[in-house]
Each structure stands twice: as structure tokens, then as C-alpha cells.
Amino acid sequence: MAKKDLVKIDNNVVKFGYWWRANRDTLAPWWPEVASQVFNCAFDNLGHASANFLKSLSGKRQGGPVGFPKFKPRAAAKAFAFSTITIPDAHGVKLPRIGRVHTLRNVERLVAGRATKTTTIRCEAGRWYASILCETPTPTPPVNTKPEVWVVFGLDEYIALSDGTRLTNPRPYRHALADLRKASRDLSRKTPGSVRYLDQQRKVARIHKRVKALRDNALHAASKRLAEHYGVIHVQRIHLARGMRHHVLAQPLADAAFAEFTRQLAYKTARTGAIVHMHEPMTVEQHVDAMALAQRLANGPSPDA
């Protein structure tokens, strides 16, 4: 792709909002029924996606290659965003063009008087959720004088620490696989688009939602424990991309979500003052030796020693 084409793409993204305002009456006569903030947030997402695409082409973006922005499929989760909302009471949010929506949780206590930036409304498993992004001042982390520890990932033992602590792998997807297979078979027998098909589709989505909730709960508990009890944490990376290409290891690796664990550990240690050192991935032999060492540390010294 030539450089002039990159400039053309960038200019089109910047001017897309003006183009939309000039052609919205013809293309979408229903636009007055939707709040303008929804369109503005969509333009922002398009701008970020295009910027990532251009940086990926020029080699300025780390990670794998990023494709050209495309529309979400119809089966994707329904989501839209507002830039400004109001909180009329403890259990309610007031959205533009929609009005007051009752919430199960106390929004006033969660927001705690902080300025709100963006509110994302999404539908998952037949239920609607509101995610409110607030401006929070970054606290100064305390001086952490807690002990140092090495972290080794595994599939049987989820996390093995150098002090002998072992965290088991919850395997939420594997435990829910039987129910998920049965629900998916029942879904395949329904006529697409029928009422029973939609009901069964929500049942399948609820199983996936529960798996995600169990996995997130285990990850948050493990990352919080490490961030609060240790001052220096050495994490040994693993070859996730290589393992995901293996037909046997792909499912348990995806179920373990090691990348999400390291992401949570990074921002939680920033609050507690702990330091995280990420080390290069080990080979299979080194990983086996590290797990054996962690097993010996957990069992204690041998009687012959």
C-alpha cells in the first residue's frame, strides 16, 4: 500500500463525522431517534481502529498485524456508548433519549462523586449491563518491603510460587463443557430465528457468561493475593502463541487465561507498590525443571538431606 493511500485513509476517518452529518437524512432517516453521542462514540472507535491499522502497517505498533476496520457481525454482543450521563438517584442512571434506567447496584456508591467520562451499555446473555468509566486520581503507592517470589505457570497446578505456595487451576470451561455441549446440541435442533431458538441461544450464552465469571473471579483472587503479599514478583512468560497452535494444549491454555492474569497483576501491583519483572519464556525442559523445583519446595526438605 502506497503512502498516499495511508494519508487518504487517515483523512477519511477524520472527516467521517462531517460526511455523516451531510448524508444522514438520506442514508438513515431514523437518526433523530438515536442520541448523537452514540454516533460520536462510534466515530471514536473507528478512529482508534484505523490508527491501529495504520500503525501496524508502518511497523509502529507492537504485537500481531491488525486488519482493516470492519463492521461487527450481527451475532456480536450488542453495545453502544454515551459520553455523558446523569445519576438521578442511588439505583438509577439517566441516559440520553432513553431516560431513567433502574440498576440493581448502588450507582452513587460506586461512582462516589467522581467525574464520569464514558458509559458503555452492552447486552450479554439476555441481560443489559452499564459500564461507567470514571476519572480517578492515581494514588501514590506505598513503599513495599515484602518478600520476593518467582511465579511459574502450569496447567495442572495453575500457579507455582518459589516459596512453596500452589494455586490450583479452576478449569471453568472444562467443568462446564458437558452442559455446554448439551445446550449447543439442543440449539442446533431449533429453527433459526424462532422463539425457541432465541430462548436456547440465551441459555448457551448464560453458560458462557458463568464460565467467564468463574474465571474472572479466580484470576482476580490470585492476582490480588500476589500483589498484596509480595514486594518483588518475577513472572516467567510462556509461549502462548505456540501453545495455542497445538490441538491438545489450545483449550486448556485458553481456559487458564495467563495473559489476563499478568494484565491484572500489572495494574494491581502499581497500587500496592510491588514490582513485577517479566522474564523471557522458558523451553519445555526448563519449564519441567522449574515445576519440579516448585514441587520440592512445596514438599519441604527430604529426610536424607
Side-chain angles (χ1 to χ4, degrees):
M1 182 175 291
K3 186 176 181 180
K4 61 179 182 180
D5 296 330
L6 299 182
V7 176
K8 186 184 300 183
I9 293 174
D10 195 14
N11 291 337
N12 286 339
V13 172
V14 173
K15 298 178 181 178
F16 190 77
Y18 299 101
W19 175 87
W20 164 253
R21 294 180 181 89
N23 298 274
R24 59 188 178 185
D25 293 333
T26 304
L27 298 177
W30 43 263
W31 72 266
E33 302 176 4
V34 182
S36 60
Q37 300 178 20
V38 176
F39 298 110
N40 294 334
C41 291
F43 298 152
D44 292 339
N45 294 336
L46 177 60
H48 290 306
S50 301
N52 291 334
F53 170 68
L54 295 175
K55 291 179 181 178
S56 179
L57 285 180
S58 59
K60 298 180 180 179
R61 186 181 186 277
Q62 297 181 355
V66 177
F68 189 80
K70 58 183 179 181
F71 290 102
K72 290 183 179 179
R74 186 178 295 272
K78 301 178 179 64
F80 54 93
F82 296 101
S83 56
T84 57
I85 64 167
T86 56
I87 302 176
D89 51 77
H91 289 274
V93 292
K94 189 175 182 181
L95 306 177
R97 299 296 176 91
I98 297 178
R100 182 190 178 279
V101 178
H102 183 76
T103 59
L104 296 180
R105 302 189 65 179
N106 192 327
V107 184
E108 287 185 347
R109 185 174 59 188
L110 294 175
V111 175
R114 292 171 292 187
T116 60
K117 297 186 64 177
T118 305
T119 302
T120 303
I121 311 297
R122 70 184 188 278
C123 180
E124 293 183 1
R127 298 179 181 179
W128 290 92
Y129 299 87
S131 177
I132 303 176
L133 179 63
C134 302
E135 292 183 357
T136 304
T138 304
T140 303
V143 178
N144 199 325
T145 58
K146 296 176 182 178
E148 184 176 0
V149 70
W150 278 79
V151 178
V152 179
F153 294 123
L155 294 179
D156 293 331
E157 297 291 342
Y158 184 62
I159 295 175
L161 305 182
S162 58
D163 60 356
T165 305
R166 312 297 288 272
L167 302 180
T168 58
N169 190 354
R171 302 178 187 270
Y173 182 79
R174 181 177 179 180
H175 293 161
L177 196 56
D179 295 336
L180 184 60
R181 285 172 176 169
K182 182 179 183 303
S184 299
R185 285 196 300 267
D186 294 341
L187 178 64
S188 64
R189 299 188 184 102
K190 305 293 189 297
T191 303
S194 63
V195 176
R196 293 183 178 180
Y197 181 88
L198 297 178
D199 291 341
Q200 188 64 28
Q201 194 176 39
R202 282 191 288 269
K203 292 181 181 179
V204 176
R206 281 196 291 268
I207 296 176
H208 284 289
K209 180 68 176 178
R210 175 174 173 77
V211 170
K212 182 179 182 299
L214 293 174
R215 182 185 297 116
D216 290 343
N217 181 66
L219 292 175
H220 280 292
S223 58
K224 182 180 179 181
R225 179 177 179 179
L226 290 178
E228 291 182 348
H229 290 80
Y230 300 98
V232 180
I233 305 173
H234 299 273
V235 179
Q236 197 78 44
R237 290 194 181 99
I238 58 176
H239 288 286
L240 288 177
R242 184 183 302 175
M244 291 299 292
R245 292 194 294 266
H246 196 279
H247 68 285
V248 176
L249 296 177
Q251 179 177 310
L253 281 177
D255 196 12
F258 293 125
E260 176 63 17
F261 173 81
T262 54
R263 186 193 70 85
Q264 294 181 8
L265 186 64
Y267 77 79
K268 290 181 181 180
T269 51
R271 301 173 183 173
T272 60
I275 301 174
V276 179
H277 295 288
M278 303 297 296
H279 298 273
E280 291 302 319
M282 296 183 295
T283 62
V284 176
E285 293 78 8
Q286 292 173 340
H287 191 273
V288 171
D289 294 340
M291 293 298 294
L293 176 60
Q295 180 67 38
R296 289 196 299 269
L297 292 174
N299 296 334
S302 60
D304 300 335

